[in-house]
Amino acid sequence: ETGVTQSPTHLIKTRGQQVTLRCSSQSGHNTVSWYQQALGQGPQFIFQYYREEENGRGNFPPRFSGLQFPNYSSELNVNALELDDSALYLCASSLVASGRTPEQFFGPGTRLTVL
Amino acid sequence: RKEVEQDPGPFNVPEGATVAFNCTYSNSASQSFFWYRQDCRKEPKLLMSVYSSGNEDGRFTAQLNRASQYISLLIRDSKLSDSATYLCVVNSGNTGKLIFGQGTTLQVKP
């Protein structure tokens, strides 16, 4: 096990609703990245948080937002849910240190279904 | 054009077979390269990093050709437990943004 946890494991919402997904990073890690994985596709980068600041963002609209807390845990918020938001949402934690590309450790994911 | 492209398969092979997966990437500035393994309905897990000199880990061999922007993974003596989706992954900068291919599905049959 990676030590990265996510909650909830499964979630069902309807179009237009809002959702918050949570991630606890591995002990000692300072960076959390979020990915969306649609069925049959590879994960797509949403954004990354480093020391509570957004540090890179993928091609996702502003209704996808996030937070990182002082303990390095993180939230992903999605407003105005659409059917295409149905996917597995993965968070990955890593320890960013200068001069190295860190390994990212993934949590088990939250499976979101939008009806 | 996708940033990282893989043949989605599926590859159906008998136990003991050798199988090779290929991947191409579009950003010549990409810095780090990986193969991840993902079991059905589970999270991706790092299988191995890929270096220009090539690297081997038991039955698995990974190669990188920067000039052709091409990455490969060779699995020798396939086991039933190798059945999974193999994701080619590229890190294009220092933000830690991983770019995943679609994944190649491998099914090893008895």
Side-chain angles (χ1 to χ4, degrees):
Chain A
E1 297 299 326
T2 63
V4 180
T5 61
Q6 292 186 244
S7 63
T9 54
H10 296 84
L11 201 52
I12 299 175
K13 291 284 190 178
T14 56
R15 274 187 305 175
Q17 286 189 308
Q18 178 267 342
V19 68
T20 297
L21 310 181
R22 295 178 175 84
C23 172
S24 291
S25 57
Q26 185 171 326
S27 177
H29 284 183
N30 56 13
T31 302
V32 173
S33 304
W34 286 92
Y35 295 84
Q36 179 196 66
Q37 187 174 23
L39 199 61
Q41 302 296 317
Q44 284 202 301
F45 177 76
I46 302 175
F47 42 56
Q48 182 184 80
Y49 278 83
Y50 170 64
R51 294 184 174 177
E52 303 178 56
E53 298 280 337
E54 188 178 288
N55 181 42
R57 188 179 181 93
N59 189 26
F60 281 81
R63 59 189 186 84
F64 285 78
S65 63
L67 283 173
Q68 187 179 31
F69 300 99
N71 67 355
Y72 302 122
S73 67
S74 178
E75 285 182 356
L76 165 65
N77 299 291
V78 188
N79 294 323
L81 283 167
E82 301 177 359
L83 296 179
D84 284 349
D85 296 333
S86 296
L88 180 68
Y89 288 84
L90 295 157
C91 84
S93 80
S94 56
L95 174 62
V96 172
S98 60
R100 294 180 60 232
T101 301
E103 180 179 350
Q104 296 188 21
F105 295 85
F106 283 84
T110 294
R111 191 164 297 278
L112 172 65
T113 301
V114 182
L115 302 175
Chain B
R1 182 186 171 191
K2 292 183 181 178
E3 292 184 79
V4 179
E5 297 211 52
Q6 295 181 251
D7 179 349
F11 284 59
N12 295 301
V13 303
E15 271 187 291
T18 295
V19 62
F21 303 139
N22 302 317
C23 164
T24 58
Y25 61 94
S26 61
N27 186 351
S28 59
S30 298
Q31 297 179 0
S32 306
F33 309 88
F34 311 93
W35 284 100
Y36 275 71
R37 171 190 168 132
Q38 186 172 26
D39 293 295
C40 187
R41 304 184 76 82
K42 299 282 192 180
E43 72 273 22
K45 293 184 178 177
L46 180 65
L47 179 66
M48 58 199 303
S49 300
V50 189
Y51 305 111
S52 296
S53 54
N55 47 305
E56 187 174 310
D57 182 3
R59 298 182 293 109
F60 298 83
T61 301
Q63 292 275 357
L64 166 65
N65 184 321
R66 283 188 183 270
S68 302
Q69 295 178 207
Y70 172 94
I71 305 163
S72 65
L73 176 68
L74 184 75
I75 305 175
R76 291 181 299 278
D77 188 22
S78 298
K79 312 291 186 191
L80 295 177
S81 57
D82 294 334
S83 298
T85 296
Y86 291 83
L87 296 158
C88 176
V89 186
V90 172
N91 183 332
S92 62
N94 59 8
T95 63
K97 172 184 175 182
L98 297 181
I99 303 168
F100 287 79
Q102 180 181 359
T104 299
T105 299
L106 173 65
Q107 185 67 43
V108 181
K109 305 282 190 183

